[in-house]
Amino acid sequence: ACASSLYALRLAACALAEGRADVMLAGAVNRADRLFLHVGFSALHALSPTGQSRPFDRRADGLVPAEGCALVALMRLDDAVAQGKTIHGVIRGIGISNDGRGRNLLAPSTEGQARALRAAWSAAQLAPTDVDFLECHATGTPTGDRTELVSVAEVFTREADDARGPVPLGSLKGNLGHLITAAGGAGLLKLLEAMRRGELPPNPGTIEALDLLERGSPDGPLPFVVQRERAPWHRGRHPRRAGLSAFGFGGNNAHLVLEQYESARERQGSLTSVAIELSSPSTREPLAVVALATEAARGDEPISVALDGLRFPPNDLAESIAQQLLVFEAGRRAAASLGERVGQALPRERTGVFVGMGTDVSVTTPGVRWRARKVAGRLAHGRDDGALAAALRDAAMPPMPAQGVLGCMPNIPANRLNVQLDLRAAGFTVSAEERSGLVALEVARSLIRAGEIDAALVGAVDACRDSRHSRALAALRPSTAPPGDAAAVLIVM
């Protein structure tokens, strides 16, 4: 979801730390169907009806989608210095987490966000009090912005006599709107350029700051201020240093610690040194598969989900695509079998969930319904045929409620298992078509070896017996065996 680009940076860092690559390109792109975003975010009550992006403003009424791409090239610091590369900045640490069992998949969690913040500064071996600027996720949704302020207040506290004063806050959504999957990458580019120019960038759209910022909490004033004007970014006792957050629907949390690069000569007399690598593999021991489960389905039959112990309303699951349901049920059974045999649940703070899933044609079905009038006009040779448009809409699917939006989000197959099993380390899906499950296993192996997690639930799922998929496959590969729908889940340690 909206933390995708920072998750990509974390996985790129693993590849560099393990020596699997010497240069990594990492980032994200958002060019989702505009109508899908408009209808989907409207169903979730997250879209701004006024079309104004106002992070941290008491008049904020929702997000404004944007589109774009952000990419960076990453190298190990020693290699970049040795090769004489231009170094735009140094990533000192990245922390990722999941909310686990919160109120629901759409409600942000202060506890989950704070864990990602602390993990990043711990990985950087720095104190959060040393931050100069915070580039927040802050999308302009009232609940989301307030939750984030409480999260950062838990982590970024300064003593009352700190001469530097409150921490300045910003959010690129005030400039560009919400780039969704690419939001974190765009925020990184903003911080790199701000460091290069030595300027704190202003935060447009914030006119009347939230009461939490103006009056503080019941425990006292919050140590933050929205950066409303362009101002010099003075270098203090350490290189310019910033935090960057990205939080996504489903409980995906990420935070990155960025520092301006200084040469060895510039670092003389500095209280801190630049980290050489984000992390180093802590173990080369092989993985053990300690539990497994599979779930298969026939394309012409509904998928059954056991009600016992279910943490979701059944009607919510009824609005989900088949891939979500198959891997959800297989994951529940794998975890249950481990508990029955070992008599111990998975360590919830140290277990990740990684699901390999190919792209799903059923995600495009809502667009057929929403564009039925246009399609009907083409079929009727330009006539406005309301009856035909209505028939096309009904043939495509019923109207999509909020549960249906969640039901086709590509990150939710992993996040439902985070919630169901209350697993709070990173949880996300990866898509590499036929290799998706193996790539998910590789992600689990890297994060276990890096010492970030102790166990992982790894899934692979495909539900391809959609008539459109079958017809396309028959046309492209007539001799191919009929497709089947199934999920497989391993628990590894």
mmCIF file of all heavy atoms in Angstrom, residues 469-479:
data_model
loop_
_atom_site.group_PDB
_atom_site.id
_atom_site.type_symbol
_atom_site.label_atom_id
_atom_site.label_comp_id
_atom_site.label_asym_id
_atom_site.label_seq_id
_atom_site.Cartn_x
_atom_site.Cartn_y
_atom_site.Cartn_z
ATOM 1 N N HIS A 469 -9.236 -15.056 -17.782
ATOM 2 C CA HIS A 469 -7.896 -15.632 -17.689
ATOM 3 C C HIS A 469 -7.823 -16.919 -18.514
ATOM 4 O O HIS A 469 -6.875 -17.138 -19.274
ATOM 5 C CB HIS A 469 -7.572 -15.915 -16.217
ATOM 6 C CG HIS A 469 -6.136 -16.265 -15.967
ATOM 7 N ND1 HIS A 469 -5.410 -15.738 -14.933
ATOM 8 C CD2 HIS A 469 -5.290 -17.104 -16.613
ATOM 9 C CE1 HIS A 469 -4.179 -16.226 -14.960
ATOM 10 N NE2 HIS A 469 -4.085 -17.066 -15.962
ATOM 11 N N SER A 470 -8.803 -17.784 -18.370
ATOM 12 C CA SER A 470 -8.796 -19.070 -19.074
ATOM 13 C C SER A 470 -8.813 -18.882 -20.586
ATOM 14 O O SER A 470 -8.105 -19.578 -21.326
ATOM 15 C CB SER A 470 -9.997 -19.908 -18.628
ATOM 16 O OG SER A 470 -9.937 -20.179 -17.243
ATOM 17 N N ARG A 471 -9.630 -17.923 -21.055
ATOM 18 C CA ARG A 471 -9.687 -17.692 -22.507
ATOM 19 C C ARG A 471 -8.370 -17.125 -23.031
ATOM 20 O O ARG A 471 -7.905 -17.500 -24.113
ATOM 21 C CB ARG A 471 -10.833 -16.730 -22.822
ATOM 22 C CG ARG A 471 -12.211 -17.351 -22.609
ATOM 23 C CD ARG A 471 -13.309 -16.339 -22.862
ATOM 24 N NE ARG A 471 -14.620 -16.911 -22.566
ATOM 25 C CZ ARG A 471 -15.751 -16.223 -22.658
ATOM 26 N NH1 ARG A 471 -15.739 -14.958 -23.030
ATOM 27 N NH2 ARG A 471 -16.904 -16.809 -22.370
ATOM 28 N N ALA A 472 -7.763 -16.217 -22.263
ATOM 29 C CA ALA A 472 -6.485 -15.660 -22.694
ATOM 30 C C ALA A 472 -5.409 -16.740 -22.722
ATOM 31 O O ALA A 472 -4.606 -16.819 -23.660
ATOM 32 C CB ALA A 472 -6.078 -14.525 -21.760
ATOM 33 N N LEU A 473 -5.403 -17.605 -21.694
ATOM 34 C CA LEU A 473 -4.415 -18.677 -21.645
ATOM 35 C C LEU A 473 -4.604 -19.648 -22.802
ATOM 36 O O LEU A 473 -3.634 -20.084 -23.437
ATOM 37 C CB LEU A 473 -4.520 -19.419 -20.307
ATOM 38 C CG LEU A 473 -3.458 -20.483 -20.044
ATOM 39 C CD1 LEU A 473 -2.072 -19.863 -19.992
ATOM 40 C CD2 LEU A 473 -3.758 -21.219 -18.739
ATOM 41 N N ALA A 474 -5.844 -19.971 -23.111
ATOM 42 C CA ALA A 474 -6.122 -20.891 -24.215
ATOM 43 C C ALA A 474 -5.669 -20.310 -25.552
ATOM 44 O O ALA A 474 -5.179 -21.029 -26.428
ATOM 45 C CB ALA A 474 -7.615 -21.216 -24.250
ATOM 46 N N ALA A 475 -5.804 -18.991 -25.695
ATOM 47 C CA ALA A 475 -5.389 -18.360 -26.952
ATOM 48 C C ALA A 475 -3.873 -18.279 -27.070
ATOM 49 O O ALA A 475 -3.309 -18.446 -28.155
ATOM 50 C CB ALA A 475 -5.985 -16.958 -27.038
ATOM 51 N N LEU A 476 -3.203 -18.043 -25.945
ATOM 52 C CA LEU A 476 -1.752 -17.885 -25.971
ATOM 53 C C LEU A 476 -1.023 -19.220 -25.963
ATOM 54 O O LEU A 476 -0.007 -19.394 -26.645
ATOM 55 C CB LEU A 476 -1.304 -17.058 -24.761
ATOM 56 C CG LEU A 476 -1.680 -15.579 -24.777
ATOM 57 C CD1 LEU A 476 -1.412 -14.953 -23.413
ATOM 58 C CD2 LEU A 476 -0.901 -14.829 -25.848
ATOM 59 N N ARG A 477 -1.520 -20.186 -25.191
ATOM 60 C CA ARG A 477 -0.848 -21.480 -25.026
ATOM 61 C C ARG A 477 -1.890 -22.589 -25.085
ATOM 62 O O ARG A 477 -2.292 -23.140 -24.052
ATOM 63 C CB ARG A 477 -0.101 -21.537 -23.697
ATOM 64 C CG ARG A 477 0.957 -20.454 -23.534
ATOM 65 C CD ARG A 477 1.575 -20.520 -22.147
ATOM 66 N NE ARG A 477 2.503 -19.424 -21.904
ATOM 67 C CZ ARG A 477 3.034 -19.153 -20.727
ATOM 68 N NH1 ARG A 477 2.738 -19.900 -19.681
ATOM 69 N NH2 ARG A 477 3.866 -18.138 -20.585
ATOM 70 N N PRO A 478 -2.346 -22.944 -26.282
ATOM 71 C CA PRO A 478 -3.437 -23.920 -26.390
ATOM 72 C C PRO A 478 -3.136 -25.269 -25.754
ATOM 73 O O PRO A 478 -4.046 -25.967 -25.311
ATOM 74 C CB PRO A 478 -3.623 -24.046 -27.911
ATOM 75 C CG PRO A 478 -3.037 -22.788 -28.475
ATOM 76 C CD PRO A 478 -1.924 -22.420 -27.583
ATOM 77 N N SER A 479 -1.869 -25.643 -25.652
ATOM 78 C CA SER A 479 -1.535 -26.974 -25.139
ATOM 79 C C SER A 479 -1.321 -26.990 -23.630
ATOM 80 O O SER A 479 -1.027 -28.033 -23.055
ATOM 81 C CB SER A 479 -0.261 -27.494 -25.830
ATOM 82 O OG SER A 479 0.834 -26.610 -25.561
#
